Structure formats: structure tokens, C-alpha cells
């Protein structure tokens, strides 16, 4: 039977009598047929009255909490749950009705910790001076305020939320819990905790039902966060007989390759450029972001923005399109340098190609930015190449490539292949999976047996460090060209 | 290995290295060799710094919490634990150093709920009008204030207390937890919960270490509380091959008879008189209480008081002595009525025998009070008689009688037997066990494997209602005489 993380079974409970003097809780437990059912104190305080008011027929709220299903409330007006993906830059939150799994609201918002530093390292540095508490607090306040507005929009009360699942990279998870992060960026890169954790919402300060069950995805070390494990869960890669690959480009680019018996993860510190983060005209995928670029034979540039809004910057998939089109049009060479055919302009002291002047400022890319981008794509491709090589297999042996994150949402596969970001394999081998981290969190919220699948993934996953790997350093330089100095390697 | 409820093992933990990147928690868990070890969030927040400060050799505080040993603190200055017996009238609390099990302080104090009613029923009635919260709060405040002063006396900090065990009757347990009690005194007498419960101290509002493990003894129904189960644990009756008996006289008189395979409990609502509670000169066993009475052949009365203080009243064991001596001297007859030989005086409109005039008021007993006392002793004896009869055994088949509570502390066995309270068996069959409820709590604090023994007791215990029992009603009247209308029944 599929049992969500929180559920509310209808129980018709035998009434007390001269011949049946079991206590209220034991009576309910026996009727539920659930092993190890454990009452919260708030539950016990409300039980006798609610039980009698409802004539011993109630639908209590039960949350899976380690091996002990926890009785949270004798009744529920609404039964809601949240899945939350905490990215370094963006947070996505989905509110569900747990009774029919209907999506009630989806909120995407900037991680408020950005006020303490755009990237992970600067936040860690901040915490070394001022502790993690300001970072924890800012994230928590942001979450609570968004939960409140999501609940309002869905016409529920925040106290109707009885289950929450968080997936995030290792540093974001630590900051959510208020755990020290200063050992994470320093060799040998030790997090405080790796295992999956259960908390009551009140322990974390989350403003939902105080006894709501909170599940936090485990990590596999400082560089392989719960978001990756959640993403693997979402793809089902961990149940595959033959090797499959998950490429997840967020603030970092992570490559996962594995089967049901083993999973290898390589992470290249390569992400920001692929997310649009390194460009001076870069932006996250929000309204007004250019996500699609085309250069006509005439040299004219056309583009599309999210929500058809006036252009405000260029996001990850836009950058990939742009660089691929510049190359296709002959405006840049294999090394990413502007050719004579490109019409460039000086911006901020550097030669830049302007996509449009229609925004508040010219939206453009310069040679240094193209170089950064190519370095990122090279790191990503090299990770993928080295990982498969180390396993003695070729790209052709990989049944399926799941493409998640910035790459998974709206990138033109042909352009990514043209640049040598992804192997040159038939299109049907690639499957975009969007925000796989959020999807995994959602799967676990809806089906608590996923908790065991996560344990399985956690037990077989291995992290392979890449940037210091000899093989990586040997292959990396060639991958910085478009598409590669040796296209045979693309598959 | 005997493992206390809270303990603090010394762990020499492998340091992180290039080849060992386990997270701090996983590193500690693996070193501990303890299955299912679970970290509290406070523990995780402190772990990385304390681990490194202590060069990876630490003695974390671990508390048994259901099947999941809980990591409470990375270190402890002192490691203390509390056993608490909450009686309706008196509370006894013992503070231990958990490292050497040394008793650091013992506090006995009145249950502050007495302000809401002397006896259980009047407190339940109060709760029906005003809720249980005032009762819970008053008990909690009393406990916290006594914990604070016990800690002060022992020169420890209240936060050094990491484990607490509570045993109490069913109503007191409910009021400690803030659970409704209004269904307890009404047929079919249904408590909110029976099972043993674990809480973190902060959930109950106890001012000790916030993550301290609190264990609350289970009950076996409204009339068989955790104090009885704890008392059984203390005597070891539940491990006996042949039937043994535990007689516990507190505010109620409870009779337990059992072996390792079955345990029967009968409770007669008979207690207060045996505790000195019904006499106008009655008092609890405190300084100045008369606990020993003798009537010389001359008719002169001699007595002893607790602490040799001026007499302030007469406590349970004093009442038993007094009635037995009145009978022996021929001052009362078999029915408890004053004979012509007794020199009595009119007090409050009733004929009374005066023990002494040395206190602020005459300390005396009148015929109505003697009758009440005899009714109580009759209820107690009849329970014992009916229970053994229902099992088809005689008193002689009972290997050992454990005498606990008011009867267990300082009562002259000969006098109790003279009155027909206890069977007329050789003295070596009787073993006083004092406050067996507190002792059981203490055993569990010191040895967590007792948790399973409690589960065993809980699973085999049965409550036999007495006061409505036909057999009881048939036997009761004869037992109201001194010692009995049919002394053969005394064994």
C-alpha cells in the first residue's frame, strides 16, 4: 500500500465498555493496525474529547517519523504537505493537498541568504565571522513568509500543513538546520551529518503544525547534497539494470552515473556560468530573462524572453543558445574568440557582442565571459567523460541521459551538442527532467516508502572528486574548444 | 552490559582524512557501536566545534529513547538523573550522579495540587470545571522548584540532569502530562493512554537539560497506575516462579499477586484511613507524627514521634499501633467499640480516646474513626483473600509478602496481624520494601534494560475490580471485626 509521509486514515474505533477498558490511545492504536504508533503529547491532550465528540469515528493525522509513525492530531480540517527544494540561488516550494495529491500552490523565490553572499563560499565565510545563526534565521524567515503566503493563496491555514520534505545541497541543508559549515570547504571537506533526518516542525522553527513531520534528505558528503540524491530518486536511476546518467546543472554541475548496484557522482565546480551567473548580463530564469537566442543569416539577432516581458538579462539556456549561435554564425571560433565577421562593441572596456539594446542596459557577452562559459562546459563534459572512462564504458553504453536543472528546462539539445556539452547521441537517449531535486522531494512526500529507496541510494553512492583528478586535468583542456579538439570523444 | 537510561561513553574517534571523509555524526556513530543512534538538533549544532576542541575524543551524553538512543549533548560536566514518585499527597524525588549512581539529594514534599483538593476525586472535579491546566502547572512548578533546590544542594546545574523517570498513579501521571482525567472516575473508567511514554524534557516543561530523556511508567487502567507497575518491578515479583504478593498502602490500598507468567491486581478504595488520612488527628509521616503507640497494663499511653519532635498528629503506622493496642488492652471490642474499661473523653461531640494532650490540641481517636479504619483494613484483607481464593490457592502457598507504602515503613508486623490486616504467617514470609514505586523508578533510571521488564509486567498484568465483586461483598463484613469473625481465614 502506498502511504504518504502524512496521512489520515478513517478509523471506526470500538467504544469502551465494561468488558473493554482499554485506554483511548490503545483503543485507537489497535483499530489502526499500525505498528509502533507513537502519540505526540499534543495529540494525547486533545484525544479524549475529540474521540467522544466524534462518536469514536475519527481520522487522525499520522506522520512517518523514523520507524515510529507519529500521531500528530486527532483530526484535520485540511491535510497538506510541502516539498521544498532549497537552491543556493532559488527556492522552489510546492504545497499539496495530501488527500488527493492536488497541487495547491507553487512558489519560487530567491534564497534570502543572498543578502549575505551570492555564492556558497561567501556565505560560509560570513558564517565564520558571524556564526550560522543569521543565515539560518534569514532562510527560516523567508521560508515561513512564503509558506504563509502559499497557505493564504490556497485558502488553508499554515497549521494544516503536517508534512514537509526538504532537499538541498549540503551547505543549504546545514544552514537550514543551523549546523556549522566551516569544515565543508576545507580539506578533507567534512559535513556535520550525512544521514537523512526527521524533525518535528517546531524543532526547526517552521511555522506549520508544530508536530508536523519534517524529512531532510541525506547527503553523500560536502559536494553531493540531498538535492542530488533526491534527483536520483526522481529519475529512478537507482533501479536501473544498465548504466544511466543524470546531469544536473544548478549553481554547480553534477554528473551522476549508476545502476541499481552502484552510483558514482562527479562534481565539477563549474556551474555558475551555465546558470547565467557569471555574465554581467546574466540572470536567473525569471520573467524577462532571455532564454532563447537565434542569429539569422543576415546577422540579425532574435530572442525570446520568459513571459514575453521586456528583456532584463540572459539566463542559462539563453547563454547556451547564444554561444552556439555565435559559433554557428561564425562570429566566434573554436576557442570562443570573436572573428572578424562579428560586429562587436566596447562595453565596460571589453569587446562584447550585444544581443539587444531594448532593456535598461545593453544585454551582451564578452570574450572573457565566453571563456568562462567554455571552461564550465568543459568541466561538465570532462566529468562525464572521465567518469564513464573510469568505468570502462563508452557513452554509447549509456541507455539514458536525464538532463536536470538549468540544462533540463528549455535548452535546445542540438545546441548543447553543438557546443560539446553533451555527447553526440540520438535525441531519444536524452530526457529532460526539469527540477529533479524538487520532484524527488515530492515523490517522498507522496510515498513514504521512498524513504527506504533513499537509504538504498545513500548506501551505494560514491563521490569521485574531479577537479584534482589526473585524468580530468588531462582531458579538460581539449574540452574547452568548441565542440572539442577531438570530436571522436563526443561519442 | 548494564546500560543506564542516560550514559556517557568515552569515544576515541578516528580523525577525518583524505581517505575518510565521513561526516562528524557518522564518524561518532560508527565509533560508538550503538545501533540506531539518533542526534538531537542541539547535539548536531554543538558537535563539530566540541569534537575538534577535544581532539576527537569525547564522552557524549546518550539517552535511551524508545528504540532510538538519542544523542543529547557532545559533553557533560556532571551526568545526573532523577527518579520521581508522584503520590497524590507526597512526592519523593531522588537525584543521582549517573556515573557512579551515588545519591546526591533526596527531596520529599507535598504535592502542590493539594491546593485544588486533598484527594484524587476532588482534583478530578476541579479539572471538570477549570480544565487540567492549573493542576498540571501547579505540579510542574512544584517539581521545577524542587529540582532547582535539589540541584543547588548537590552543587550541580539543573542542565546537568539528562534523565528523569516518573512513576505515579494513573491520575497523577495524566495530570503531569496535562491529559484529561474526567473519564477516569466514571464507568467504564477509561484513561487517555496506558503505555509507557518517552518525552524530551522540554516537551513537558521540565527545567532540566531540554533534550533530557523523560520516561513515564505505563499504567494498567484507571486503578492500577505506574506506581504499582514500578513497585512490582522493584520487588522482582514478575520474575518469580511461585506466587508472591505485594501489598501497597498509599492513598489507596493495592494488592498484587503474581508470578512471572501472570499478575493480578485488586484495589480496594480503602486507603486513606490506613495512611492516617481520615482521622481528625491524622497526619502524613512527617516530623512530629506519632508512628509508634503502646498502652501499658496500667492504661498509661506511651508513644514515639518522627524526629522526636513534639507530637503534631498520628500517621498511618501510628494508627495501626494505636488500634491494635486499644484492642490488646481490652479498651475496644471485636467490633471496634469502646468497652467500659476504656477511659474516654468527649471531643467534638464524640467519645474519643486521647493519646496525648502534649500537642497544640488533644491527639485522639473516636469510634467513628475506628470504624473507618476497620473498614479500610477489611477492604484490604478481603481483597487479598478474594484474590488468592479466585486463584485456588491459600495464603500458605504464597512464598513472600512484600509490604510497601505506609504499611511497609515501620509498622509492627505483629500488630497488623493482630488486627487481621495481614495473614497469620511466620514473620520471615514478610518483607518490608518501603517506597517500592520510587525504588522501581530508580532501578529503571540505573538500568535501561528494565524498560523491557516493565513491558513484560505491562503485558501480563490484569486488574480485578473488587468493590463490586460478589465474593468481595460476601467476605467483607466478617473482615470488619478484629481480627475476623472467622480467624481460620487469616491462614
Amino acid at each position: 500500500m502506498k502511504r504518504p509521509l502524512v496521512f489520515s486514515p478513517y478509523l471506526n474505533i470500538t467504544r469502551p465498555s465494561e468488558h473493554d477498558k482499554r485506554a483511548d490511545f490503545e483503543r485507537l492504536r489497535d483499530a489502526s493496525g499500525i505498528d509502533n504508533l507513537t502519540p505526540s503529547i499534543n495529540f494525547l491532550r486533545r484525544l479524549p474529547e475529540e474521540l467522544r465528540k466524534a462518536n469514536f469515528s475519527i481520522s487522525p493525522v499520522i506522520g512517518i517519523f523514523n520507524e515510529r509513525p507519529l500521531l500528530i492530531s486527532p483530526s484535520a480540517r485540511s491535510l497538506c504537505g510541502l516539498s521544498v527544494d532549497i537552491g543556493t540561488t532559488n527556492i522552489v516550494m510546492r504545497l499539496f493537498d495530501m488527500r488527493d495529491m492536488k497541487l495547491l500552490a507553487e512558489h519560487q523565490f530567491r534564497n534570502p541568504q543572498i543578502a549575505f553572499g551570492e555564492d556558497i563560499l561567501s556565505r560560509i565565510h560570513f558564517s565564520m565571522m558571524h556564526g550560522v545563526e543569521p543565515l539560518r534565521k534569514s532562510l527560516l524567515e523567508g521560508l515561513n513568509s512564503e509558506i504563509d503566503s502559499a497557505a493564504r493563496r490556497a485558502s488553508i491555514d499554515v497549521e494544516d500543513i503536517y508534512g514537509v520534505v526538504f532537499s538541498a545541497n549540503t551547505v543549504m541543508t546545514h544552514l537550514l538546520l543551523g549546523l556549522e559549515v566551516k569544515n565543508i570547504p576545507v580539506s578533507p571537506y567534512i559535513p556535520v551529518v550525512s544521514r537523512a533526518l526527521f524533525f518535528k516542525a517546531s524543532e526547526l522553527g517552521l511555522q506549520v503544525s508544530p508536530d508536523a513531520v519534517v524529512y531532510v534528505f541525506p547527503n553523500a558528503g560536502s559536494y553531493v547534497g540531498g538535492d542530488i540524491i533526491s534527483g536520483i530518486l526522481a529519475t529512478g536511476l537507482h533501479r536501473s539494470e544498465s548504466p544511466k546518467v543524470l546531469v544536473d546543472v544548478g549553481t554547480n554541475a553534477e554528473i551522476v552515473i549508476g545502476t541499481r548496484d552502484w552510483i558514482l557522482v562527479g562534481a565539477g565546480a563549474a556551474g555558475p556560468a551555465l546558470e547565467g551567473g557569471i555574465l554581467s548580463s546574466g540572470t536567473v530564469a525569471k520573467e524577462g530573462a532571455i532564454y532563447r537566442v537565434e542569429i539569422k543569416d543576415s546577422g540579425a539577432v532574435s530572442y525570446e524572453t520568459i513571459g514575453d516581458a521586456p528583456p532584463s538579462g540572459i539566463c542559462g539556456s539563453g547563454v547556451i543558445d547564444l554561444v552556439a549561435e555565435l559559433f554557428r554564425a561564425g562570429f566566434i571560433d573554436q576557442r570562443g574568440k570573436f572573428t572578424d565577421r562579428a560586429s562587436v562593441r566596447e562595453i565596460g572596456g571589453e569587446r562584447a557582442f550585444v544581443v539587444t539594446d531594448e532593456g535598461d542596459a545593453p544585454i551582451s557577452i564578452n570574450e572573457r565571459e565566453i571563456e568562462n562559459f567554455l571552461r564550465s562546459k568543459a568541466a561538465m563534459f570532462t566529468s562525464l567523460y572521465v567518469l564513464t572512462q573510469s568505468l570502462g564504458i563508452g557513452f554509447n553504453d549509456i541507455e539514458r541521459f536525464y538532463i536536470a536543472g538549468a540544462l533540463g528546462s528549455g535548452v535546445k539539445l542540438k545546441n548543447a551538442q553543438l557546443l560539446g556539452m553533451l555527447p553526440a547521441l540520438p535525441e531519444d537517449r536524452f530526457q529532460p527532467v526539469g527540477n529533479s531535486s524538487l520532484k524527488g522531494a515530492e515523490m517522498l512526500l507522496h510515498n513514504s516508502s521512498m524513504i527506504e529507496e533513499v537509504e538504498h541510494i545513500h548506501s551505494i553512492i560514491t563521490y569521485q572528486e574531479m577537479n584534482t583528478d589526473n585524468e580530468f586535468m588531462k582531458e579538460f583542456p581539449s574540452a574547452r574548444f568548441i565542440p572539442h579538439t577531438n570530436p571522436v570523444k563526443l561519442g
Side-chain angles (χ1 to χ4, degrees), chain A:
Chain A
M1 195 192 68
K2 185 173 136 179
R3 187 172 273 166
L5 188 69
V6 288
F7 55 103
S8 175
Y10 174 77
L11 301 178
N12 201 336
I13 298 166
T14 320
R15 277 148 202 282
S17 74
E18 269 305 313
H19 307 291
D20 179 358
K21 300 189 171 190
R22 283 172 300 164
D24 290 338
F25 164 73
E26 275 73 13
R27 191 172 294 282
L28 181 152
R29 180 199 59 196
D30 296 349
S32 79
I34 298 172
D35 284 344
N36 274 329
L37 202 57
T38 304
S40 73
I41 194 160
N42 294 321
F43 175 86
L44 290 175
R45 285 176 182 164
R46 289 168 53 196
L47 181 61
E49 192 166 345
E50 295 210 23
L51 206 50
R52 282 160 186 81
K53 251 195 215 156
N55 266 319
F56 289 85
S57 293
I58 63 169
S59 299
V61 178
I62 300 173
I64 303 297
F65 197 93
N66 289 313
E67 299 81 31
R68 298 202 148 257
L70 182 73
L71 279 159
I72 299 174
S73 169
S75 62
R77 203 177 55 102
S78 298
L79 184 76
C80 298
L82 272 180
S83 60
V84 189
D85 170 50
I86 306 177
T88 306
T89 310
N90 287 309
I91 299 175
V92 195
M93 173 188 284
R94 293 178 138 208
L95 176 65
F96 293 91
D97 185 325
M98 298 296 291
R99 291 197 169 108
D100 57 9
M101 303 311 166
K102 211 180 106 189
L103 179 66
L104 300 180
E106 173 167 343
H107 275 212
Q108 175 157 356
F109 53 100
R110 305 263 288 171
N111 188 326
Q113 293 176 340
I114 287 173
F116 302 96
E118 285 272 336
D119 57 64
I120 287 195
L121 265 181
S122 56
R123 289 184 217 167
I124 294 175
H125 287 147
F126 175 89
S127 82
M128 287 175 181
M129 312 238 275
H130 308 284
V132 296
E133 190 53 18
L135 292 156
R136 187 191 75 85
K137 225 180 128 201
S138 108
L139 175 58
L140 183 66
E141 282 169 2
L143 289 169
N144 280 336
S145 133
E146 297 286 339
I147 290 170
D148 189 65
S149 85
R152 234 178 265 253
R153 186 173 303 179
S155 300
I156 62 144
D157 196 280
V158 291
E159 305 246 331
D160 296 333
I161 299 170
Y162 293 103
V164 184
V165 177
F166 282 110
S167 82
N169 65 51
T170 303
V171 172
M172 290 307 119
T173 302
H174 275 51
L175 293 177
L176 170 71
L177 305 181
L179 309 183
E180 243 183 43
V181 289
K182 71 178 176 203
N183 301 311
I184 287 182
V186 184
S187 175
Y189 316 110
I190 306 298
V192 177
V193 59
S194 283
R195 55 164 285 173
L197 294 167
F198 288 88
F199 294 103
K200 291 185 183 180
S202 58
E203 291 183 280
L204 298 186
L206 278 175
Q207 277 156 23
V208 295
S209 169
D211 289 325
V213 167
V214 179
Y215 175 87
V216 181
F217 267 89
N219 65 64
S222 286
Y223 289 104
V224 182
D227 49 353
I228 296 297
I229 290 181
S230 179
I232 293 168
L233 181 72
T235 62
L237 181 150
H238 62 293
R239 278 186 259 147
S240 172
E241 283 191 51
S242 58
K244 290 182 174 167
V245 161
L246 167 62
V247 177
D248 191 353
V249 181
T251 303
N252 238 310
E254 272 114 354
I255 311 290
V256 180
I257 176 166
T259 69
R260 63 184 179 194
D261 297 316
W262 53 267
I263 296 176
L264 222 54
V265 184
L274 303 185
E275 257 199 335
I278 272 181
L279 272 65
S280 63
S281 300
T283 179
V284 294
K286 61 176 184 193
E287 201 166 271
I290 294 174
Y291 70 98
R292 186 71 70 239
V293 179
E294 211 179 314
I295 300 179
K296 306 265 160 59
D297 290 341
S298 64
V301 182
S302 73
Y303 60 87
E304 291 171 49
T305 65
I306 295 177
D308 261 336
S312 58
I314 186 161
C315 70
S317 57
V319 175
I320 293 170
D321 259 19
L322 174 58
V323 179
E325 289 290 298
L326 286 172
F327 183 67
R328 187 179 283 126
F331 290 1
I332 55 173
D333 62 18
Q334 276 211 310
R335 298 167 305 144
K337 302 295 174 198
F338 289 124
T339 62
D340 296 342
R341 293 184 55 191
S343 113
V344 295
R345 195 199 298 174
E346 189 146 320
I347 294 179
E350 296 193 58
R351 297 203 312 151
F353 179 85
V354 176
V355 178
T356 176
D357 279 308
E358 281 169 47
D360 295 338
I363 292 169
S364 65
I365 193 165
N366 62 35
E367 277 187 347
R368 197 178 32 81
E369 291 169 338
I370 294 171
E371 195 190 322
N372 274 336
F373 170 82
L374 292 179
R375 206 161 31 223
S376 293
K377 81 101 187 167
M380 191 184 119
F381 179 80
T382 309
S383 293
L384 184 56
Y385 181 79
V386 169
L387 271 178
T388 47
Q389 288 286 309
S390 74
L391 293 163
I393 58 176
F395 290 141
N396 209 33
D397 301 317
I398 292 164
E399 197 187 320
R400 188 164 291 276
F401 290 78
Y402 298 103
I403 312 296
L407 264 186
S409 51
V411 164
K412 273 195 205 144
L413 178 66
K414 287 281 163 229
N415 280 344
Q417 288 179 319
L418 175 74
L419 294 175
M421 295 180 78
L422 292 173
L425 294 169
E427 199 172 339
D428 62 7
R429 296 271 189 107
F430 296 91
Q431 183 179 328
V433 289
N435 186 338
S436 57
S437 164
L438 185 66
K439 267 189 198 146
E442 201 173 306
M443 279 171 66
L444 191 140
L445 181 68
H446 293 172
N447 183 357
S448 61
S449 71
M450 292 295 135
I451 292 168
E452 278 143 56
E453 298 213 15
V454 170
E455 291 309 307
H456 171 65
I457 296 170
H458 196 223
S459 70
I460 62 170
I461 200 168
T462 320
Y463 174 57
Q464 183 149 341
E465 217 164 299
M466 277 295 162
N467 293 357
T468 59
D469 187 285
N470 272 339
E471 205 55 37
F472 183 93
M473 295 318 271
K474 212 178 81 194
E475 293 294 334
F476 179 71
S478 322
R480 285 170 64 183
F481 287 77
I482 304 174
H484 199 283
T485 54
N486 182 2
V488 172
K489 295 201 169 172
L490 297 175

